[in-house]
Amino acid sequence: RNLKRQTMCRGDINKLNVKFLAIYDSLIPADEEKAKQKQLLTLLEKLVSKEWPEARLYLYGSCANSFDFSKSDIDVCLVMEAANSDKSEVLLKLADILQADNLQNVQALTRARVPIVKLMDPVTGISGDICMNNVLAVVNTKLLRDYAHIDVRLRQLAFIVKHWAKSRGVNETYQGTLSSYAYVLMCINFLQQRRPAVLPCLQGMDITYSVTIDNVECAFFDQVEKLRDFGSRNRESIGQLVWAFFHYWAYCHDYANDVISVRTGCTLSKRAKDWTRRIGNDRHLICIEDPFELSHDLGRVVDKYSIRVLREEFERAAEILHYDPNPCVQSKQLLRY
Ligand code: CTP
Ligand code: MG
């Protein structure tokens, strides 16, 4: 098998570009939808501040990091002073308040790993989850959003990768595959490592934004409007980048030794992180360092069965992109089945 071919002919790439950009455009949520999300957040803020005037609500996850598809649910974080033992009480009270205001499908899941209240707003038709005091998620959401503002190819690549992962059933942490958050970090790290680079390493630059949360220092350069030209020396199109992304994860990543690290903009060794052996449930079969919680490997959900599934899926995608004489037709297959 000729897996060494590193380039595609211009005609193939152009066809891929058109196809991928059409998929990207079709997944972007309409302004109207974003306005409805804001409307729901405003309603929730009103209800929450009546009961807890000091509390604040923040959007996090894809609805706030610019990697959301049309018709996504919203993730909301309620931030207030409350001891952990009071969390369940607050969430149960919150559920009562929401129910009294006619929000639907309200459910407090106080025993979940991340306790939440689920809801559906019949006016906007939007569903959402509210968690409590998960401020690190609010800050990593900002980091992802800031990266997305530097070069549009990140958002395009992440949309195609997320769409592929959802279509292929490999975006299910409870089944041992990866979260959307992990896939976006893989895309950022991949674009940091292109030569010339498409993205910088914001945590390696002068610090313009800094917060400390739960003893974790989160500091990075966030004046991203100054970095709009950063990726301009790299002229790769989205077709080439998607092709290279799958090629990297299928054939180039060193699963046995490497950890991908957005924090450093490169890869680290598993040895340096002491991620060489299984500890508890963390098997470290594919290693993705959280940018702030450095002991978190986002690949820790992957087990010896699902790592095979994942790697076979990367290879399948890479081969379809690689060999197909008519990538337009095959890329449909890549994304649909
Ligand atoms: N998150 C986290 N650590 C994880 C998983 C998630 O901090 N191990 C936080 C991140 O802030 C992430 C948010 O939870 O943005 C939501 O995670 P996820 O559902 O994986 O990502 P979304 O971007 O919301 O993707 P989707 O559109 O698929 O819902
Ligand atoms: Mg989400």
Side-chain angles (χ1 to χ4, degrees), residues 60-63 65 67-69 72-73 75 113 134 136-138 140-141 144 162 166 171 179-182 184 290 293 296 298 300:
Y60 74 101
S62 61
C63 61
N65 65 20
F67 297 104
D68 58 331
F69 293 173
S72 294
D73 297 350
D75 294 308
R113 191 178 58 81
N134 191 2
L136 274 168
V138 176
N140 67 38
T141 293
L144 267 49
K162 270 180 67 172
K166 287 176 195 290
N171 181 208
S179 64
S180 298
Y181 177 57
V184 175
D290 185 89
E293 292 181 279
H296 272 196
L298 296 163
R300 66 186 184 275

Side-chain angles (χ1 to χ4, degrees), residues 5 8 12 319-331:
R5 189 171 69 134
M8 299 177 79
D12 288 353
E319 292 208 16
I320 289 175
L321 289 168
H322 197 92
Y323 285 113
D324 190 355
N326 185 355
C328 268
V329 175
Q330 282 273 6
S331 60

Side-chain angles (χ1 to χ4, degrees), residues 113-329:
R113 191 178 58 81
V114 179
I116 52 168
V117 176
K118 294 179 102 42
L119 62 100
M120 201 283 281
D121 173 26
V123 178
T124 58
I126 296 176
S127 299
D129 294 343
I130 306 179
C131 70
M132 224 183 123
N133 291 346
N134 191 2
V135 185
L136 274 168
V138 176
V139 177
N140 67 38
T141 293
K142 171 176 165 56
L143 180 73
L144 267 49
R145 183 176 60 235
D146 285 344
Y147 271 114
H149 282 151
I150 298 170
D151 196 299
V152 69
R153 288 172 290 182
L154 169 60
R155 195 167 176 227
Q156 294 170 344
L157 175 65
F159 266 55
I160 299 298
V161 170
K162 270 180 67 172
H163 181 51
W164 162 84
K166 287 176 195 290
S167 311
R168 298 294 304 165
V170 288
N171 181 208
E172 310 286 358
T173 45
Y174 70 93
Q175 287 180 345
T177 55
L178 298 169
S179 64
S180 298
Y181 177 57
Y183 282 114
V184 175
L185 292 173
M186 288 158 79
C187 292
I188 294 173
N189 186 251
F190 169 78
L191 295 176
Q192 288 174 322
Q193 298 211 62
R194 295 310 283 167
R195 290 296 170 262
V198 177
L199 291 178
C201 171
L202 294 177
Q203 289 169 274
M205 299 170 62
D206 291 343
I207 292 166
T208 53
Y209 171 88
S210 172
V211 282
T212 301
I213 298 147
D214 306 335
N215 293 323
V216 177
E217 201 204 349
C218 309
F220 56 96
F221 182 80
D222 76 336
Q223 296 175 1
V224 284
E225 61 290 347
K226 295 185 180 158
L227 298 173
R228 283 281 157 80
D229 284 336
F230 182 90
S232 59
R233 281 195 309 127
N234 181 310
R235 308 292 289 267
E236 289 176 296
S237 62
I238 186 61
Q240 284 166 300
L241 291 170
V242 171
W243 184 87
F245 178 88
F246 284 111
H247 190 267
Y248 171 79
W249 285 100
Y251 308 119
C252 306
H253 181 70
D254 184 348
Y255 287 82
N257 297 303
D258 283 355
V259 176
I260 65 151
S261 163
V262 165
R263 171 180 63 98
T264 59
C266 49
T267 52
L268 308 171
S269 76
K270 282 196 196 179
R271 192 173 297 276
K273 302 237 12 145
D274 198 19
W275 283 355
T276 48
R277 62 215 140 82
R278 176 174 172 176
I279 297 181
N281 265 338
D282 292 12
R283 295 176 176 86
H284 305 301
L285 299 173
I286 172 171
C287 294
I288 303 158
E289 183 194 59
D290 185 89
F292 301 124
E293 292 181 279
L294 305 186
S295 63
H296 272 196
D297 175 5
L298 296 163
R300 66 186 184 275
V301 290
V302 177
D303 58 37
K304 68 176 194 260
Y305 168 74
S306 59
I307 188 67
R308 278 189 43 203
V309 172
L310 265 178
R311 292 187 63 169
E312 280 169 17
E313 287 295 337
F314 288 134
E315 285 172 27
R316 178 183 179 278
E319 292 208 16
I320 289 175
L321 289 168
H322 197 92
Y323 285 113
D324 190 355
N326 185 355
C328 268
V329 175

